[in-house]
Amino acid sequence: MSEERWLRTGIGAADADSITLLGRDLARDLMGEVTFTELTFLLVQRRMPSPEETRLLDAVLVSLADHGLTPTVLAARLTHTGAPESIQGAIAAGLLGAGSVFLGVVEDTARFLEAVLADAGAEASEAELRAAAERAVAQRLDAGERIPGLGHPVHKVQDPRTPRIYEIAEETGRLGPHLRLLRIVADVHREGTGAALPINGAGVDGAALADLGFPPALLRGLALLARTAGLLGHLAEEMDNPLGMPLYREVDERAVYDPPE
Amino acid sequence: MSEERWLRTGIGAADADSITLLGRDLARDLMGEVTFTELTFLLVQRRMPSPEETRLLDAVLVSLADHGLTPTVLAARLTHTGAPESIQGAIAAGLLGAGSVFLGVVEDTARFLEAVLADAGAEASEAELRAAAERAVAQRLDAGERIPGLGHPVHKVQDPRTPRIYEIAEETGRLGPHLRLLRIVADVHREGTGAALPINGAGVDGAALADLGFPPALLRGLALLARTAGLLGHLAEEMDNPLGMPLYREVDERAVYDPPE
Amino acid sequence: MSEERWLRTGIGAADADSITLLGRDLARDLMGEVTFTELTFLLVQRRMPSPEETRLLDAVLVSLADHGLTPTVLAARLTHTGAPESIQGAIAAGLLGAGSVFLGVVEDTARFLEAVLADAGAEASEAELRAAAERAVAQRLDAGERIPGLGHPVHKVQDPRTPRIYEIAEETGRLGPHLRLLRIVADVHREGTGAALPINGAGVDGAALADLGFPPALLRGLALLARTAGLLGHLAEEMDNPLGMPLYREVDERAVYDPPE
Amino acid sequence: MSEERWLRTGIGAADADSITLLGRDLARDLMGEVTFTELTFLLVQRRMPSPEETRLLDAVLVSLADHGLTPTVLAARLTHTGAPESIQGAIAAGLLGAGSVFLGVVEDTARFLEAVLADAGAEASEAELRAAAERAVAQRLDAGERIPGLGHPVHKVQDPRTPRIYEIAEETGRLGPHLRLLRIVADVHREGTGAALPINGAGVDGAALADLGFPPALLRGLALLARTAGLLGHLAEEMDNPLGMPLYREVDERAVYDPPE
């Protein structure tokens, strides 16, 4: 019995007549009853979201689905060029670049905010929270590091996703401690450095997901779910209007061969 | 100009103040306005779905998200065991097994139905459609092949997902030619062989997605999107209740070493 | 007992004092005694190669390791851009494009040759073999298909790898039925069409690997092993001289946004 | 010109008549002239190894190729179960678990040794090196961390690979600073804690690769190359004697479904 603890799962089971997902009958209680976004919330958090939580999660997933011809999208489209019969390979290749440089910011921001919240303590006043933010920002800047969630190479003044997420979080009553702290962090950074860096989309999404109760270790996973939809869009386009092969040909033609001596 | 056709994209663009996705302003027209499911439809089909189409697509994605501890889920959980810091790797590993044996049925069924519809012709009567189905089924059976979309190792009499998808398709007025033909195929097969194989969940989902206008080459991709949500659920569980390491240990202990001579 | 057949493995085992690989003591019989190429042969074929077989296998792996900035190399370097901390992800992304369009030729050629050899029969005379090749080539051309292993977009007259593999195969006494038939196929194609397509590197490598006794289903795997070494070279270069990020930036700048109406 | 620095590559180039790799003619200078192991060294380090370096690198790659039915091997075999037509996907899945828990030790050990060597300084005496090792070991133990390269769950007294690598390193005159320091680290740890942990295979391989001049950031990559050969062995076995499907079936049957309340 106890040696089988590792073979317990709460996700799903099936018998001849029914399929159960997290204690609910798939065909009767979920299909036609919940949206894919609600199911995603249920799968990760093991409880159904409220309509307000669903609305905020939908906005976050929509905001994260695509950012144009990013390195990960290019990797997916180039992989499709070589193996068009294996769409799973192209999608996997398009997810594998979601690491410390791209998309990692969603998770990094949440972890940074969580650490500041822990440092300030559960009962922290606004002033105490601000003091904790000041310490954390100063420590990062002293170490020559960036503040996760601040700054964007294209959206230098304001990232259009940020005010929209705050608006929806406010409307839905889900503007929680992470989102609130992120604004304080941006203020503290601006006051301390004189440089007004906007809160970026990945950062505000990380804070919103943390306020929705998702654990930091899963946040990049939610971003990857959103990005999978974006990859489907790019692969649909690649099938009609290939970019991978001509990109390869142009790189191949222009590349200068400069061997070691 | 024309040599740059390959560098045209209709998916997305960004400038300092705005992000555009398929001609819509991301922050104003999409975030808070459309669900993640609607955005997925838009990304692949380049038009917004109707509420009825969204309802059917949600039901399909919900039905495909998880089927318990499948080989692909085990691959993802075992990959997480070795590289817990790279959730993108665990998710990618969990998608890579979605090939001809698993999940491929979604696409195979749609392609099979599409071929029968093409053979019958656009203006086919019910009788002509049935005759085309009889030819296609007979040809497969003669070649010793299965009929895509029929039969399930667990749901031997009825797959609970199938009547639910038909119900929702009916309700939403989206019971189109692929779903209709799939029922004819099941009838023809039963009458021809005496064996009553149920329409399986992957098959009915493939037919429904085809009726929703998704191209066959993208169907496995939509199944992979659904499955990514399921993988997030399993990885969340793996973090709390690890299965990968004990599974490895048990296999390692029980494995009999039987070297070549 | 019999229900455990699936938990038998002949590859390896370990106890407190020793590690065994295919019945050999790893530390005593393999490390320092066999090269990595010999070990690869042993792992797949379960017997040690002769020095001549090793020499030919080394030449094949060397010839397949790299072909410059191919789509798969670009996918690996772009993936490294986003997730430099996960080299396993960059390598995996660089392998996933080895499908029907790239590298698949190695396997396709071997399968094509195998089918012709089977059609001609084990005891076929030169004339019978030629007749079988003529039938197979004619059938492919009639179906509008290419002959696997013939033609190359860059090496239009001769692929420099091809005569070298034939030379080494001759020297080592390993010029077997697949390599011999491939020459006949090229002759038959030229005589039938008037177009002199050279035997390409992937094709000659596939034939050589088949003559070395590797099963067709593993041939793409051997090409992937070779390619992994090439990817290590490109990733080492990427760390010193990044190509992924500037490639993304240039694509992003030059891309024309052309949304659907 | 200078804006094209990112499009310079020293790896390879091809024209109609020749293929060049790192300044060498592939067909004339490399095929039949160098082994795959020598080519791997050349690709990463951009110079040809000596016969002694090749001998040590071969021993390291041989020692790292396989360790039985590890989590990564199981992930590859389970992926093959679902998508047998995409061997590239099964291999990629088998590499993606090579992270911080498995195989990462090769890189971690080299980085740890490199830091101690840097701390001791280039001209350090034996006593100074030992003092630096004592500081580093104490710091790790105080932080509750393991010493990379020491200890093994199966080889509790001695890992059979370790003395063999030292022997070959000695024979070939390549017993350099990393390998020497690793022995000091093991001594220091034993004297400090009373626990005699053996130097493990991954650790000694990391030290040997560092002594061969490979940069730490590439070491996991070399382990992945070795592991790819092991995966080919397991996939060859999987094709004859499937383990993925029965493993899934057994897990599915035994799993206890324990849904959230």
Side-chain angles (χ1 to χ4, degrees), chain D residues 50-61:
Chain D
S50 69
E52 290 75 25
E53 289 170 324
T54 302
R55 178 162 157 71
L56 182 54
L57 178 55
D58 263 317
V60 168
L61 293 174

Side-chain angles (χ1 to χ4, degrees), chain C:
Chain C
M1 183 69 78
S2 67
E3 78 273 22
E4 292 286 67
R5 185 174 146 65
W6 65 273
L7 261 173
R8 289 184 183 275
T9 180
I11 309 280
D15 60 26
D17 300 318
S18 70
I19 300 173
T20 311
L21 217 61
L22 292 151
R24 285 149 179 93
D25 185 276
L26 175 67
R28 190 191 61 212
D29 303 333
L30 298 173
M31 290 169 65
E33 302 296 319
V34 307
T35 67
F36 181 54
T37 300
E38 289 173 307
L39 185 79
T40 297
F41 192 109
L42 173 65
L43 278 161
V44 178
Q45 297 214 30
R46 304 185 171 210
R47 69 167 179 86
M48 282 296 297
S50 69
E52 291 74 25
E53 288 169 325
T54 302
R55 180 163 156 72
L56 182 54
L57 178 55
D58 264 317
V60 168
L61 293 174
V62 165
S63 81
L64 284 167
D66 186 70
H67 293 96
L69 297 166
T70 52
T72 55
V73 162
L74 295 175
R77 294 180 75 150
L78 287 156
T79 299
H80 184 266
T81 300
E85 73 285 2
S86 293
I87 196 172
Q88 72 272 23
I91 294 173
L95 298 180
L96 288 169
S100 59
V101 177
F102 282 94
L103 280 195
V105 177
V106 177
E107 179 177 333
D108 296 345
T109 304
R111 288 191 188 278
F112 174 73
L113 297 172
E114 201 171 62
V116 177
L117 289 170
D119 177 37
E123 306 289 311
S125 67
E126 184 83 12
E128 288 165 333
L129 200 56
R130 197 180 165 87
E134 282 169 353
R135 285 191 298 276
V137 167
Q139 195 189 330
R140 288 258 172 171
L141 294 178
D142 288 352
E145 294 171 20
R146 294 179 179 190
I147 310 303
L150 299 190
H152 195 281
V154 174
H155 309 299
K156 291 182 197 295
V157 177
Q158 186 175 76
D159 187 318
R161 294 165 289 194
T162 302
R164 191 70 184 108
I165 288 289
Y166 275 103
E167 208 170 67
I168 296 168
E170 191 110 37
E171 266 174 48
T172 55
R174 304 293 309 175
L175 208 161
H178 296 84
L179 281 168
R180 252 191 296 273
L181 174 59
L182 183 54
R183 275 184 172 158
I184 295 173
V185 165
D187 287 349
V188 159
H189 177 271
R190 191 186 59 247
E191 288 159 20
T193 64
L197 293 185
I199 296 173
N200 58 45
V204 77
D205 284 331
L209 289 170
D211 279 340
L212 282 167
F214 289 99
L218 262 296
L219 294 196
R220 220 176 338 147
L222 287 155
L224 288 165
L225 175 68
R227 208 44 75 88
T228 301
L231 288 171
L232 291 179
H234 281 281
L235 292 171
E237 185 174 88
E238 182 72 18
M239 291 171 191
D240 285 343
N241 184 23
L243 178 155
M245 190 63 93
L247 178 59
Y248 156 54
R249 288 214 179 105
E250 188 182 316
V251 168
D252 192 50
E253 268 169 40
R254 279 170 53 194
V256 176
Y257 180 57
D258 185 14
E261 279 153 47

Side-chain angles (χ1 to χ4, degrees), chain D:
Chain D
M1 183 69 78
S2 68
E3 81 272 21
E4 292 287 66
R5 186 174 145 65
W6 66 273
L7 262 175
R8 287 183 185 275
T9 181
I11 310 278
D15 62 24
D17 301 319
S18 70
I19 300 172
T20 311
L21 217 62
L22 292 151
R24 284 147 179 95
D25 185 278
L26 175 65
R28 191 192 60 212
D29 303 332
L30 297 173
M31 289 168 66
E33 302 296 318
V34 307
T35 67
F36 181 53
T37 301
E38 289 173 307
L39 185 79
T40 298
F41 191 109
L42 173 66
L43 277 161
V44 178
Q45 297 214 29
R46 303 186 171 209
R47 67 167 179 87
M48 281 297 296
S50 69
E52 290 75 25
E53 289 170 324
T54 302
R55 178 162 157 71
L56 182 54
L57 178 55
D58 263 317
V60 168
L61 293 174
V62 166
S63 81
L64 284 167
D66 186 69
H67 292 95
L69 296 167
T70 53
T72 54
V73 162
L74 295 176
R77 294 180 76 151
L78 286 156
T79 300
H80 184 267
T81 300
E85 73 285 3
S86 292
I87 197 172
Q88 72 272 22
I91 294 173
L95 298 180
L96 287 169
S100 60
V101 177
F102 282 94
L103 280 195
V105 176
V106 177
E107 181 177 332
D108 297 343
T109 304
R111 288 191 189 277
F112 174 73
L113 297 173
E114 200 172 63
V116 177
L117 289 170
D119 177 37
E123 307 288 312
S125 66
E126 185 83 13
E128 288 166 332
L129 201 56
R130 198 181 165 85
E134 283 169 353
R135 285 192 297 277
V137 167
Q139 195 189 330
R140 287 259 172 171
L141 294 178
D142 288 351
E145 294 171 20
R146 294 178 179 192
I147 310 304
L150 299 190
H152 194 281
V154 174
H155 309 299
K156 291 183 198 293
V157 176
Q158 185 174 76
D159 187 319
R161 294 164 289 194
T162 302
R164 192 70 185 110
I165 287 290
Y166 275 102
E167 206 171 69
I168 297 168
E170 192 111 35
E171 265 173 50
T172 55
R174 305 293 309 175
L175 209 161
H178 297 83
L179 280 169
R180 253 191 296 272
L181 174 58
L182 182 54
R183 275 185 172 158
I184 296 173
V185 165
D187 288 348
V188 159
H189 177 271
R190 193 187 55 247
E191 288 159 20
T193 63
L197 293 184
I199 297 173
N200 58 45
V204 77
D205 284 332
L209 289 169
D211 278 340
L212 282 167
F214 289 98
L218 263 296
L219 295 196
R220 218 173 344 145
L222 287 155
L224 288 164
L225 175 67
R227 208 42 74 91
T228 301
L231 289 170
L232 291 179
H234 281 281
L235 292 171
E237 185 175 83
E238 181 72 18
M239 291 171 190
D240 285 344
N241 184 22
L243 179 155
M245 191 62 93
L247 178 59
Y248 155 53
R249 289 213 179 107
E250 187 183 315
V251 169
D252 192 48
E253 269 169 40
R254 279 171 52 195
V256 176
Y257 180 57
D258 185 15
E261 279 152 48

